[in-house]
Amino acid sequence: MKIVVLAGGRSPERNVSLSSGAKITTALREKGHAAVLIDLFLGDDLSDVKNVADVFQRDATTTNYAISDEILTDEAIDALRTDGTKGLFGKNVLEICAAADIVFLGLHGEDGENGKVQAAFDLFGIRYTGSGSLASGVTMDKKISKELLLHNHIKTSGYVSVKKGEPTPQIDFGFPVVVKPSNGGSSIGMKIANDQAELEAALPDAYRFDDEVVIEEFIKGREFSMGVVNGVAMPAIEIIVNDGWYDFEHKFQENQTTFQTPPDIPDDVHTEMQAIALKTMTVLGLTNYGRIDFFWNEDGIYVIEGNSLPGMTPLSLLPQEAAAAGISYPDLCEQIVKGKLALYEAK
């Protein structure tokens, strides 16, 4: 198959996305597909080919993107594009994607996961992996997704939301609290506040990434994640942070976090976690694949949030879970592609 792996973009998680995209492209090439990595924001000038279709005949070598600790600003990302053009889609991106059999979305962060790219592709009849535009937007918005979870009796932390310029709301559930942008991922802009002063100090940083912030009840417990691929829940993975909490650095830098899959938990708890993961996928409208994050303590299992486009870097959770289930990284990528194509064909 001719497959575009679309990565990069203009999200603060740009570097993470490029790392995922490089690994996905190599894996799909190993499976015999004509896969090509394209940067959503920078595009491709096609200067080395006669027509768009020739892109898929390029040499199979793929750049390995190392993930830095740097969280890119809008200004830093804008400076990467030197042709003076505006907008999210770089040069020839839509034309190249339209020439593919399917686009593997290796995007992360707001403009990759909030449904905008998916909506544009729907309008142009371009097929892509992952969930549709509505489910993507709902899942990315932590306020809306929490409301859906609570309405469907899925246990999650209490929360309040506040928009930029509004006074800080009253916290009824006490400190500590978790402060995070309503739209975003990889714990960027997220802080744990132990008192009112720390809460007030955390809000400006969160507002750098979104105009609305969610302040959540802090749930103390063991942290887990569980991927779902084509309706099958993977083995859970326990996240054991060596020092501190599971922030951006701990997620993407080596030797910061210990991962255990399958985790050392009772079988009935693991079975319940799988059932909750599948229900959460359904409630949020997620299809093809996704990942659900949890806390577990003596009070039960709490859903932290859903992820519509889980990371696929060497340290990402879903590939580790798949490996525990006996699924290699290349096979995982191909299963995602084939699973989404089956959904398109079933329409």
Side-chain angles (χ1 to χ4, degrees), residues 36-57:
V36 58
L37 178 62
I38 299 294
D39 188 319
L40 170 66
F41 183 61
L42 296 185
D44 192 308
D45 63 11
L46 302 178
S47 60
D48 62 329
V49 297
K50 292 182 178 180
N51 55 65
V52 173
D54 291 340
V55 166
F56 301 98
Q57 305 305 317

Side-chain angles (χ1 to χ4, degrees), residues 71-271:
I71 298 173
L72 298 176
T73 63
D74 287 345
E75 292 77 13
I77 296 172
D78 287 340
L80 297 172
R81 188 187 280 180
T82 58
D83 61 4
T85 58
K86 304 290 185 181
L88 177 61
F89 288 88
K91 193 172 184 179
N92 299 313
V93 167
L94 287 171
E95 291 84 351
I96 297 169
C97 290
D101 295 307
I102 192 168
V103 176
F104 197 117
L105 293 181
L107 300 165
H108 303 311
E110 183 176 358
D111 278 338
E113 296 184 67
N114 62 7
K116 292 180 181 178
V117 172
Q118 292 85 344
F121 281 179
D122 288 341
L123 291 173
F124 284 95
I126 296 171
R127 301 193 291 185
Y128 55 88
T129 58
S131 299
S133 59
L134 179 59
S136 298
V138 163
T139 303
M140 172 57 70
D141 191 306
K142 294 173 177 59
K143 176 184 174 182
I144 294 175
S145 58
K146 271 190 166 294
E147 287 292 331
L148 282 171
L149 294 177
L150 292 169
H151 180 74
N152 287 275
H153 310 291
I154 296 174
K155 189 178 289 187
T156 188
S157 59
Y159 83 99
V160 294
S161 64
V162 57
K163 292 184 178 180
K164 193 172 184 178
E166 293 180 348
T168 305
Q170 183 69 35
I171 307 301
D172 296 328
F173 37 77
F175 291 94
V177 296
V178 181
V179 182
K180 59 178 72 170
S182 188
N183 287 273
S186 295
S187 300
I188 293 175
M190 176 176 161
K191 294 284 190 301
I192 296 175
N194 294 292
D195 53 38
Q196 187 68 31
E198 290 187 7
L199 169 59
E200 298 290 352
L203 286 171
D205 188 55
Y207 285 134
R208 290 170 53 211
F209 303 100
D210 191 35
D211 288 337
E212 186 168 28
V213 169
V214 170
I215 304 168
E216 294 180 342
E217 175 187 13
F218 181 85
I219 303 296
K220 187 175 182 179
R222 293 166 66 181
E223 188 169 358
F224 301 85
S225 186
M226 181 175 285
V228 176
V229 180
N230 299 326
V232 177
M234 296 288 109
I237 186 169
E238 184 169 8
I239 302 157
I240 306 167
V241 178
N242 298 338
D243 180 39
W245 54 282
Y246 197 43
D247 58 5
F248 183 83
E249 179 181 355
H250 286 87
K251 287 183 177 182
F252 300 114
Q253 299 300 319
E254 294 183 2
N255 304 317
Q256 299 287 333
T257 306
T258 300
F259 302 101
Q260 184 172 342
T261 182
D264 183 16
I265 57 176
D267 289 344
D268 61 332
V269 173
H270 191 265
T271 299

Side-chain angles (χ1 to χ4, degrees), residues 317-333:
L317 305 178
L318 179 58
Q320 294 185 64
E321 297 169 37
I327 303 170
S328 70
Y329 188 94
D331 284 343
L332 172 63
C333 293

Side-chain angles (χ1 to χ4, degrees), residues 128 130-140 144-145 148-149 152 154 228 277-290 292 306-308 340 343:
Y128 55 88
S131 299
S133 59
L134 179 59
S136 298
V138 163
T139 303
M140 172 57 70
I144 294 175
S145 58
L148 282 171
L149 294 177
N152 287 275
I154 296 174
V228 176
L278 292 170
K279 181 178 180 181
T280 301
M281 290 281 291
T282 299
V283 165
L284 297 178
L286 297 175
T287 57
N288 189 205
Y289 77 117
I292 311 300
N307 298 269
S308 61
K340 188 56 184 288
L343 291 176

